[in-house]
Amino acid sequence: MKKVLILEDEVNIRSFVVINLERAGYQAIEAGTGESALQRLQEHPDIGVAILDIMLPDMDGFEVCRRIRATNKKIGVIMLTARTQEMDKVTGLMTGADDYVTKPFSPAELTARIDALYRRIGGNENAVSELLTQGVFVMNTRNHTLEKNGNRIRLTQVEYAISKLFMQNPGRALSREEILAAVWGKEYEGELKIVDVNIRRLRIKIEDDATNPTYIKTVWGYGYKWGA
């Protein structure tokens, strides 16, 4: 059974999420503090998706996300917050989250986001290995790896999916809507801003100078294109 970590200090909310996760066929691993969440991840290394509340009694969800990403790039991370400030969303994504859901949320919405992340993590296990080469970059689509000048770049699943989309469409301008549909799924109902923030995060990892990008170029008023 696929496992999902739910980090939420409010018992009523956590119980509500657990019930709906189990109804959707997932095994819920519960945690009420950041430290306990990190411990649960050690105890259950096969957890595929983590849902992290931002406001916690010991450390905030951003810090938990940073610590997870320091050792695990594959796990899907969804930030759960009651606040709607743009900075919270941007901060969550920049610390390594793949998505965010704002309270109050519907069980169907949260389950759909988890399903999408699990599909991305699993991929096609029977896929034939393919090497995509663009300039100094080499991507192995079987191992979900990207190298620049022979050096491995540590990417989250979302960052990898964006990179793959670009490398499969060199020189083609891709709209934000196209990127959102290809990476997050056509049924995704989130904001286009998630594309921009993830592009910003990806540039930090692959560009020689993220403030003056040469590989992921902005097409003003439209989207982005791969220029390697």
Side-chain angles (χ1 to χ4, degrees):
M1 184 178 291
K2 296 176 180 177
K3 295 181 181 179
V4 176
L5 172 71
I6 170 65
L7 170 56
E8 168 62 66
D9 65 321
E10 294 188 37
V11 177
N12 290 340
I13 296 177
R14 189 168 74 238
S15 298
F16 169 75
V17 174
V18 168
I19 290 172
N20 285 282
L21 287 177
E22 293 176 345
R23 286 176 178 170
Y26 290 106
Q27 179 180 346
I29 308 299
E30 301 181 53
T33 65
E35 288 294 347
S36 64
L38 296 172
Q39 180 63 36
R40 296 291 184 276
L41 286 166
Q42 290 183 352
E43 296 169 352
H44 301 271
D46 55 341
I47 289 174
V49 173
I51 304 169
L52 310 178
D53 189 28
I54 290 181
M55 303 300 292
L56 298 167
D58 56 343
M59 68 180 80
D60 61 32
F62 303 137
E63 179 60 24
V64 177
C65 186
R66 290 188 191 97
R67 295 193 188 187
I68 292 174
R69 284 293 181 232
T71 58
N72 190 331
K73 298 294 181 182
K74 187 174 181 180
I75 189 172
V77 177
I78 299 174
M79 302 301 294
L80 189 62
T81 175
R83 298 181 294 178
T84 58
Q85 286 92 336
E86 290 299 311
M87 187 53 65
D88 284 343
K89 299 174 183 178
V90 172
T91 302
L93 294 171
M94 291 303 291
T95 54
D98 298 297
D99 204 350
Y100 54 80
V101 176
T102 303
K103 301 175 187 176
F105 55 88
S106 71
E109 177 189 10
L110 183 59
T111 301
R113 302 289 179 89
I114 295 170
D115 290 345
L117 280 179
Y118 251 111
R119 284 195 300 270
R120 193 178 304 130
I121 292 167
N124 183 356
E125 299 298 333
N126 298 317
V128 176
S129 179
E130 178 185 5
L131 294 181
L132 300 177
T133 303
Q134 295 288 333
V136 298
F137 296 95
V138 176
M139 173 174 284
N140 186 316
T141 61
R142 171 74 179 208
N143 299 330
H144 284 207
T145 58
L146 178 67
E147 294 183 355
K148 177 183 179 183
N149 291 320
N151 298 314
R152 180 75 57 85
I153 300 173
R154 293 175 62 85
L155 301 176
T156 66
Q157 292 301 307
V158 165
E159 292 163 352
Y160 167 81
I162 294 174
S163 300
K164 182 180 178 182
L165 180 64
F166 280 137
M167 292 184 70
Q168 290 176 327
N169 296 275
R172 177 189 165 198
L174 298 170
S175 69
R176 289 175 174 82
E177 290 82 2
E178 286 179 280
I179 297 171
L180 189 73
V183 176
W184 282 269
K186 294 182 179 180
E187 303 303 318
Y188 183 81
E189 297 181 352
E191 303 172 30
L192 284 175
K193 182 179 292 292
I194 197 172
V195 174
D196 298 321
V197 177
N198 275 279
I199 293 293
R200 188 190 316 172
R201 197 171 72 186
L202 184 57
R203 279 172 169 167
I204 292 173
K205 294 186 176 183
I206 73 169
E207 297 283 356
D208 298 322
D209 179 3
T211 63
N212 185 28
T214 58
Y215 303 122
I216 303 177
K217 299 181 179 179
T218 299
V219 180
W220 295 107
Y222 186 74
Y224 303 91
K225 70 176 180 179
W226 182 251

